[in-house]
Amino acid sequence: WKVFTESDIARMSEVEEVSDLVSTMIYGLKGKSQPALNKAYKDNDEIFSVSKEITKRFNHVMNKIDETAGSILPTSAFTRSALFNSLFVFYYDLCYGLDSSLERLTPNTIDSSILNVVRTASSRIESGKLSEELAKVLRGGTGNLESRKERLEFIQGIHNA
């Protein structure tokens, strides 16, 4: 999907991103910071009791992204890791709910029509036909909680329209 370059991989940026996504799956939408990631690692270092469910959900969401939008991702705005993060969280929320329990849960169905949401969101981002404030949020990083919420709400708004 071209989200990470060879340089990103050498710097292990994809590992940090996966850790951040898993943290979102466990704790819900939060700001990103190294202390928060360190705490998540520490809290789950010895016994990661939900590892099977997290692994199942992570794989399911990635597979759904690939099945429904994988063909357009390499040429979309979602190749930026900050935007891919928001896309993953959007799919996760559709499948399981952001604040869902980590008990075994059958995911909600996502059909191929979601491709139109991804395509529309990407097109709006790339065209720049957005409010100045939203454009700034979409250009920025993923660390700030309010920015994360606004990016997620942007995609959800297209989905719910």
Side-chain angles (χ1 to χ4, degrees), residues 20 23-32 85-86 89-90 98-99 142 144-153 156:
D20 184 42
S23 181
T24 299
M25 294 165 67
I26 296 170
Y27 302 110
L29 199 58
K30 305 272 188 227
K32 178 181 175 182
N85 179 291
S86 298
V89 172
F90 169 71
L98 269 175
D99 296 319
T142 61
N144 180 278
L145 175 59
E146 288 307 312
S147 294
R148 286 180 169 207
K149 285 179 183 177
E150 287 182 50
R151 276 197 289 279
L152 178 58
E153 290 167 359
Q156 288 171 328

Side-chain angles (χ1 to χ4, degrees), residues 58-146:
F58 184 86
N59 289 334
H60 178 78
V61 171
M62 294 297 271
N63 288 335
K64 282 298 167 191
I65 292 170
D66 191 47
E67 289 170 17
T68 60
S71 63
I72 68 160
L73 282 185
T75 59
S76 76
F78 294 102
T79 57
R80 284 196 41 242
S81 62
L83 294 174
F84 182 80
N85 179 291
S86 298
L87 184 69
F88 179 94
V89 172
F90 169 71
Y91 270 78
Y92 183 80
D93 190 41
L94 287 176
C95 289
Y96 299 101
L98 269 175
D99 296 319
S100 64
S101 156
L102 292 175
E103 301 293 320
R104 275 189 155 174
L105 185 64
T106 302
N108 296 317
T109 303
I110 294 179
D111 63 37
S112 60
S113 68
I114 204 75
L115 174 61
N116 292 328
V117 173
V118 177
R119 187 176 279 135
T120 300
S122 179
S123 176
R124 288 185 187 172
I125 293 165
E126 290 172 336
S127 73
K129 293 180 182 173
L130 307 162
S131 71
E132 189 174 323
E133 183 180 324
L134 181 58
K136 182 179 176 183
V137 166
L138 292 169
R139 281 191 308 267
T142 61
N144 180 278
L145 175 59
E146 288 307 312

Side-chain angles (χ1 to χ4, degrees), residues 18-27 37 39-58 92 102:
V18 168
S19 296
D20 184 42
L21 293 172
V22 168
S23 181
T24 299
M25 294 165 67
I26 296 170
Y27 302 110
L37 287 176
K39 181 180 180 336
Y41 281 128
K42 183 179 179 190
D43 290 350
N44 296 290
D45 190 37
E46 294 297 320
I47 301 173
F48 191 44
S49 62
V50 294
S51 65
K52 286 184 182 179
E53 185 64 17
I54 288 290
T55 300
K56 183 186 91 167
R57 290 182 183 200
F58 184 86
Y92 183 80
L102 292 175

